[in-house]
Structures are given as C-alpha cells and as structure tokens.
Amino acid sequence: MSNLLVKPSKPDANGRIHAVTPASAEWTYVGFEVYRLKSGQSLKQQTGDREACIVMLAGKAHVAAGGKDFGIIGGRASPFEPDPWSLYAPARSEWALKAETDCEIGVCTAPGEGKLPARVIRPDQVGQETRGKGTNTRHVRNILPETEPAESLLVVEVITPPGHWSSYPPHKHDRDALPNESLLEETYYHRLNPPSGYALQRVYTDDRSLDETLAASDGDVVLVPKGYHPVGAPHGYELYYLNVMAGPKRIWKFHNDPAHEWMLK
Ligand SMILES: O=C(O)C[C@@H](O)[C@H](O)C(=O)CO
C-alpha cells in the first residue's frame, strides 16, 4: 500500500485512531491526530514546541487551554453538518478536554513558539465559501486561514458533493518561491457519507517521479508532501475532508497544473 495513504488504527486507551507526526510522515511541519472519545472521557496534552488547533469534528466537549476554562464547545453530530467549533492552543501551553457526548476530534499541529493567546474559534468566526462551477462546486469552511492569527498552522474543511471534484483543477504548493508559490505540507482527513464510499485522490508531480492514485475510505488520511492533489467524490457519496497545512511561511499560494488551468477561463 502507498506510504501516502494512512489507515485508522483501533482506538488506543485515549481513543486515538490517527497519529501523523513529522517523523512518521517523513516531513518537517504538519502533525495530525484523530481521537474518538466516549462521553465522559478526558484528554490532556502539552503542546511543547508546536501550536495546536483542536477541531470538534463531532460532539460536544468542555475545553481549557493556556490556563483558561472556555466552557463547552461543539454540537454538530457529524462533520457533514455545518458550524465547526475549534480550540487554538499556543505552543508551550497545555490544553485539556472532557467529552460531554461521544466526540470525534481532530488535533492539527505545526511549529510555534507560543506567541499567541489560547482561544476558541466559534462557527461565526469561520469564513464559508463555495468554490467552482458545475461538478467542481464544493463548500469550504476556513477554520484557521492565513488572515486569522496562528504562527504556522492553516486549517480548512471542505464538503465535496457526490459526483463532484475538489482541490481541482489540480494545484500544488511545494516550492518556497513567493510571490508565485508557497511550500506547504498537507494532510487530508477523509470522511464519507454514507461511510461505505471512497474518494479518489491523485498525488503527482510535474515530472511524474511521484504519481499515485489512492482510494481513500471513510477515516483515512492522505499525506501530500508535494505535488498536485485533486480529489473526486464518486456518485452517491458526499465527501468531507479536513486539511492541515504548514510550511516555512504561513501563506497559501498555490500553482495550478498548466495542463488543466484552461477550465478556469
Ligand atoms: O478548493 C478546494 O477544493 C480545497 C482545496 O483548496 C484544499 O483545501 C487544498 O488543496 C489546499 O491546498
């Protein structure tokens, strides 16, 4: 199986089903974990030299970070529902969470020094946009875009309707060459509705030294260390994904594959 496709494991004692680290992904910046917690279960982490954005994929939890109690956040029953709640925890701090209901939680991390205060990111602070035309239409929720404070993390979730494509036409961001392109590693956490479906994701470079087409099932993570990374949702299956991006500069500047850029005109 491809090294770019990461299957969920059985939940460990803390409910963790994914633990992507810079070491496991063989890259430098992005870390990503998923926890499935039972109501009443608790979680606590020191952030160390990384900042964290804890996304409530589903369920409600009582949260605290940076010595501050933020009360109960969350509420949606699944990530296919709108209105994500998240918690930002700076580097060199501690965050804690107690599940008020069964929860699914994404922990997105990237390097930081601890320059910013902890905060809750409420649904009304999340910019929503619909991108594309026809079967390229998809719905984007900008949880932590470059216009909002963080040191290196970028976090976004996307709903791709059945039969549609997203991250399309194919684009890449793998060269530290601003103002034309930025270098950002990226993870995709895929969920399918209904869960028996799969998404198809291709990851490829111009010279095709990397060219893989992956079938991502519900709960899989796809790693995008470099290259173009379009995604298709087959007929009958709605696709949700959570993207985490980070690199040397906190700017999302992508480059479209010239072979397919014509469709934007
Ligand atoms: O517009 C989309 O379809 C989402 C993508 O931009 C996705 O967030 C991504 O690939 C970021 O590089």
Side-chain angles (χ1 to χ4, degrees):
M1 194 172 61
S2 165
N3 289 339
L4 302 184
L5 184 65
V6 186
K7 294 279 172 192
S9 58
K10 285 215 175 93
D12 69 8
N14 291 317
R16 190 169 71 180
I17 61 162
H18 276 292
V20 174
T21 64
S24 73
E26 298 181 0
W27 58 28
T28 310
Y29 301 96
V30 169
F32 180 63
E33 296 182 321
V34 178
Y35 291 84
R36 292 192 178 153
L37 303 180
K38 295 280 172 215
S39 177
Q41 211 171 339
S42 297
L43 204 56
K44 194 186 272 192
Q45 281 187 8
Q46 306 284 337
T47 53
D49 58 0
R50 301 178 69 73
E51 60 183 352
C53 177
I54 297 102
V55 180
M56 297 300 298
L57 296 163
K60 277 188 197 171
H62 193 145
V63 297
K68 231 175 158 181
D69 184 337
F70 289 103
I72 294 172
I73 68 166
R76 58 184 178 178
S78 95
F80 293 95
E81 293 182 6
D83 297 339
W85 286 80
S86 306
L87 173 69
Y88 174 82
R92 306 188 206 299
S93 73
E94 180 178 279
W95 62 266
L97 169 160
K98 182 164 186 208
E100 293 283 316
T101 62
D102 288 358
C103 285
E104 183 178 30
I105 287 149
V107 181
C108 316
T109 68
E113 293 172 18
K115 293 179 181 162
L116 297 163
R119 71 185 193 276
V120 163
I121 304 168
R122 299 188 313 268
D124 65 353
Q125 297 170 309
V126 172
Q128 319 249 356
E129 53 177 311
T130 295
R131 295 182 189 150
K133 288 186 194 153
T135 51
N136 195 195
T137 307
R138 68 274 192 200
H139 310 288
V140 179
R141 303 170 191 148
N142 288 303
I143 294 175
L144 204 44
E146 65 191 53
T147 48
E148 295 298 317
E151 290 189 64
S152 60
L153 257 182
L154 295 163
V155 179
V156 58
E157 56 179 30
V158 179
I159 297 282
T160 309
H164 286 215
W165 285 80
S166 62
S167 301
Y168 192 84
H171 70 252
K172 72 179 182 80
H173 34 73
D174 59 11
R175 284 190 315 129
D176 188 3
L178 287 167
N180 300 318
E181 188 174 344
S182 57
L183 193 168
L184 296 168
E185 300 161 354
E186 183 167 18
T187 53
Y188 277 71
Y189 177 54
H190 288 289
R191 296 291 317 275
L192 275 304
N193 179 28
S196 52
Y198 58 87
L200 293 176
Q201 183 155 26
R202 185 178 177 199
V203 183
Y204 67 99
T205 53
D206 284 313
D207 65 4
R208 305 298 192 268
S209 58
L210 172 62
D211 189 357
E212 298 193 18
T213 301
L214 311 158
S217 298
D218 184 48
D220 288 354
V221 169
V222 171
L223 307 175
V224 182
K226 61 181 177 179
Y228 305 98
H229 41 276
V231 186
H235 173 72
Y237 294 97
E238 185 183 19
L239 171 66
Y240 165 95
Y241 54 77
L242 177 67
N243 289 142
V244 187
M245 287 178 276
K249 300 192 183 83
R250 190 166 177 259
I251 296 174
W252 180 51
K253 178 68 187 171
F254 59 85
H255 168 81
N256 288 317
D257 185 342
H260 306 292
E261 210 174 20
W262 60 266
M263 71 183 71
L264 294 174
K265 288 174 187 139

